[in-house]
Amino acid sequence: DGSTDNSKKIVKDIKINNKLIYFEHETNMGYSKTLSSGIKIANDEGYILVMDADHQFKFENVIDLLDHTGQYDIIAGQRLNRQDGLMRKSLGIFWSLIGRFIFKTSIKDLNCGFKLFRADLIKKIKLDSIGPGFNLEVFSDPIIRDSRIKIVEIPHYPRRYGNQSGIRMKTVLCSFKDLRIIFNKRFF
């Protein structure tokens, strides 16, 4: 999503030897729009993995999620020993509390970036958020609230690459825009 590092070349090299679908946004469209674009072009069968690419999760832990496919529609990671700064943790708690008490979501670690969604289920949701509101929008949707959700604790590691954008003023303001979009969508 508008990445300025070498990830475009790496993904294209991986795609040559695998059955991956490659897409890109020339400019940074935001977290929710990027995930929404990926979900739209993904296959309708099986599961869709949502995994942040900041190296705070290890890909091999996807096995911990896959162990529960078939029995559950969504397998949501919950960060074990979260490795973020105080401000980022505080914002995460704030979002999770809003999700649980206002939107009646069942997820304690709402913005954990490591989840498996049954493809046909998540593709039914009309996603309107533009910034960091993806998880709140998804988990507050009636389709998802009525689905079978399994929470799995996943090891979380210190960020090795990139900068966290969640505590930037621009991102915080965008999160309030998303909150307004989701609130209007759910209650009006």
Side-chain angles (χ1 to χ4, degrees):
D1 185 45
S3 179
T4 57
D5 61 14
N6 202 24
S7 55
K8 180 177 177 177
K9 181 188 178 321
I10 293 167
V11 171
K12 282 188 172 183
D13 288 347
I14 292 170
K15 182 183 182 298
I16 291 169
N17 299 316
N18 293 286
K19 295 179 180 180
L20 296 178
I21 299 169
Y22 174 82
F23 81 96
E24 68 178 296
H25 292 152
E26 291 297 326
T27 59
N28 188 325
M29 301 295 289
Y31 188 76
S32 293
K33 285 292 182 193
T34 301
L35 290 176
S36 180
S37 295
I39 289 165
K40 283 179 187 172
I41 64 171
N43 290 326
D44 293 343
E45 299 172 10
Y47 286 79
I48 295 172
L49 173 67
V50 171
M51 178 182 169
D52 290 351
D54 55 11
H55 294 271
Q56 289 192 274
F57 301 103
K58 294 196 174 172
F59 184 74
E60 59 260 22
N61 289 118
V62 76
I63 297 297
D64 299 329
L65 304 183
L66 289 170
D67 285 343
H68 302 284
T69 57
Q71 304 137 298
Y72 295 95
D73 303 312
I74 298 161
I75 304 96
Q78 179 173 304
R79 290 170 277 208
L80 191 61
N81 191 21
R82 186 170 178 178
Q83 298 293 308
D84 287 319
L86 180 62
M87 182 61 99
R88 183 126 173 136
K89 286 180 184 177
S90 299
L91 287 171
I93 291 168
F94 174 74
W95 270 99
S96 293
L97 289 173
I98 286 174
R100 289 168 66 198
F101 292 108
I102 296 175
F103 293 93
K104 307 299 182 205
T105 66
S106 61
I107 307 297
K108 183 179 175 185
D109 188 3
L110 185 64
N111 286 334
C112 177
F114 200 68
K115 297 179 178 81
L116 267 179
F117 295 95
R118 207 178 81 211
D120 63 323
L121 191 67
I122 195 164
K123 285 172 146 295
K124 291 178 183 175
I125 299 171
K126 183 180 180 300
L127 297 168
D128 297 311
S129 57
I130 52 174
F134 172 82
N135 288 297
L136 179 59
E137 183 173 20
V138 167
F139 285 97
S140 67
D141 190 282
I143 292 170
I144 298 299
R145 280 202 324 248
D146 293 339
S147 64
R148 299 168 300 158
I149 301 173
K150 173 74 174 172
I151 307 298
V152 177
E153 289 186 333
I154 298 294
H156 192 243
Y157 302 92
R159 178 184 289 267
R160 292 183 6 203
Y161 304 102
N163 297 313
Q164 293 179 340
S165 62
I167 58 174
R168 289 186 198 141
M169 185 54 68
K170 178 181 175 184
T171 306
V172 172
L173 292 174
C174 189
S175 70
F176 283 106
K177 288 179 186 175
D178 278 354
L179 185 57
R180 183 178 47 99
I181 289 168
I182 299 164
F183 188 84
N184 288 335
K185 187 175 179 179
R186 298 289 174 251
F187 298 111
F188 296 105

